[in-house]
Amino acid sequence: MVELDLAADELKSVLNRLRRAQGQIAGIIRMIEEGRDCEDVITQLAAVSRALDRAGFAIIATGLQHCMAEGGRTAGDRDEMRARLEKLFLSLA
């Protein structure tokens, strides 16, 4: 399993992005409750979806950066980590 024990400053932008997405989702819920136009709701859903994808990609990229920086791993460990991160990446693609 890939641990999220990354430095706080590296994840700060991810957390900010997720907080904005959280606010957008609350706004979408209000829009639906208020009976707002379908096109407006879908536009906001698409925006929050992109924000979540970007947060996921940023986490994966940070994980890749850390994995590459760790020199003490065996080739097998690196291959396993690469496969795991590739699977995570593809789950967002």
Side-chain angles (χ1 to χ4, degrees):
M1 182 177 285
V2 179
E3 299 283 330
L4 271 183
D5 60 349
L6 307 173
D9 60 328
E10 293 172 320
L11 290 179
K12 187 175 182 178
S13 66
V14 172
L15 291 172
N16 287 338
R17 192 178 303 247
L18 291 172
R19 286 185 183 105
R20 277 193 306 273
Q22 184 178 32
Q24 285 178 294
I25 290 170
I28 292 167
I29 291 169
R30 277 191 306 278
M31 290 172 74
I32 292 170
E33 290 173 342
E34 294 169 358
R36 296 276 300 273
D37 183 66
C38 178
E39 189 175 339
D40 293 339
V41 172
I42 297 301
T43 299
Q44 290 304 309
L45 281 171
V48 78
S49 178
R50 284 190 303 275
L52 292 173
D53 286 346
R54 287 184 185 136
F57 289 135
I59 290 169
I60 292 169
T62 303
L64 282 170
Q65 183 178 14
H66 278 267
C67 290
M68 294 172 78
E70 294 179 9
R73 293 181 184 249
T74 67
D77 289 342
R78 284 191 302 269
D79 290 344
E80 180 184 344
M81 184 61 68
R82 181 189 173 281
R84 285 178 169 170
L85 288 168
E86 182 178 339
K87 183 177 178 181
L88 288 172
F89 178 81
L90 290 173
S91 72
L92 292 174

